[in-house]
Amino acid sequence: MTDEKKAALIRRLVMVTVFGTAITLGFFVELPVWDFSREKQEAAQNKAEEEAVREALKAENRLSILNSMIDGNPDSEKLKEILEQLKKDKYGEQIEVVELKVETQKALADEHGVDLEEFAGQLDFYADGEKLGSLIGETDPFVVEQTIDRYLAGLVKRYGPNWLPKVPGMARAGSAVPAVAQPQAKPTGVPGMQRAPSGVPGMTRAQPGQTNLKVEPADSPKK
């Protein structure tokens, strides 16, 4: 057998050994297989969610609040509860709460400057697609409520008192006060009673142009 034939035989033996080993391992070891189709679907879904968030921030006649959410982060979860309670109890349709999933919507998170290393909650405020400002690292319910009130008051001043949806049971403040909504005023006085007319019994008020005020005694009863 020539050297060339020996080399060809060795190559065949090596190939057979390699394929045989791979087939044998296949019975005992589950080799990882990269699912490119699944990765592509997840990327398309994340992109669609980002577009939905962008559209929600363009909502008209209301204040849109973007809450950056990180799975398992207590600050983002607390802000979520605060916003849901305020929307239910006070603001109603005047605000729209939108969630940004930081782990999957990385492009949006980068646009809003979300700091993963020092993250302690972040809210971004929008009106008609225009960013008004942010509240970062603050989870006090009072501070969150005051911040929303301030932005709503500015929107009413900018767009007019009829820009925001009305809240049942609430009346808008006058133009001199930029507050968004105040409870309706209750009637004053005691039910069933009327205010007595002003003046002093037995006296007549001087007419315009009269210089002397004459006091006349009341008629004495006849005997």
Side-chain angles (χ1 to χ4, degrees), residues 31-193:
L31 297 177
V33 179
W34 194 266
D35 190 351
F36 290 99
S37 61
R38 182 178 180 181
E39 184 184 39
K40 188 175 181 180
Q41 291 176 357
E42 290 179 351
Q45 181 179 354
N46 293 337
K47 185 176 181 180
E49 291 178 352
E50 283 190 0
E51 291 301 321
V53 171
R54 296 180 192 277
E55 289 299 320
L57 296 179
K58 297 178 183 178
E60 298 179 351
N61 301 335
R62 69 196 62 209
L63 177 68
S64 298
I65 306 174
L66 184 66
N67 182 19
S68 296
M69 297 291 298
I70 297 179
D71 290 339
N73 182 272
D75 296 313
S76 59
E77 292 293 339
K78 184 176 181 180
L79 287 173
K80 179 179 180 179
E81 295 177 0
I82 293 173
L83 293 173
E84 289 178 348
Q85 196 67 35
L86 288 174
K87 181 177 177 65
K88 177 182 178 182
D89 296 342
K90 182 176 181 180
Y91 299 112
E93 298 301 318
Q94 291 185 343
I95 67 172
E96 181 72 20
V97 181
V98 186
E99 292 187 357
L100 165 60
K101 300 177 181 179
V102 177
E103 291 93 344
T104 59
Q105 301 169 2
K106 296 182 180 180
L108 271 176
D110 291 340
E111 290 178 13
H112 290 85
V114 178
D115 188 351
L116 293 177
E117 295 182 357
E118 299 182 2
F119 184 82
Q122 178 170 330
L123 300 178
D124 295 280
F125 300 86
Y126 281 81
D128 290 345
E130 177 185 353
K131 185 174 180 180
L132 306 177
S134 302
L135 182 64
I136 300 176
E138 184 60 70
T139 58
D140 187 314
F142 178 77
V143 175
V144 174
E145 183 178 356
Q146 291 297 308
T147 303
I148 295 175
D149 285 342
R150 177 165 53 87
Y151 282 121
L152 287 176
L155 292 173
V156 170
K157 186 176 181 180
R158 181 190 305 181
Y159 296 106
N162 296 321
W163 184 78
L164 292 170
K166 295 181 180 180
V167 178
M170 304 288 285
R172 295 194 186 282
S175 57
V177 182
V180 177
Q182 294 181 347
Q184 294 179 349
K186 297 182 179 180
T188 58
V190 181
M193 299 190 67

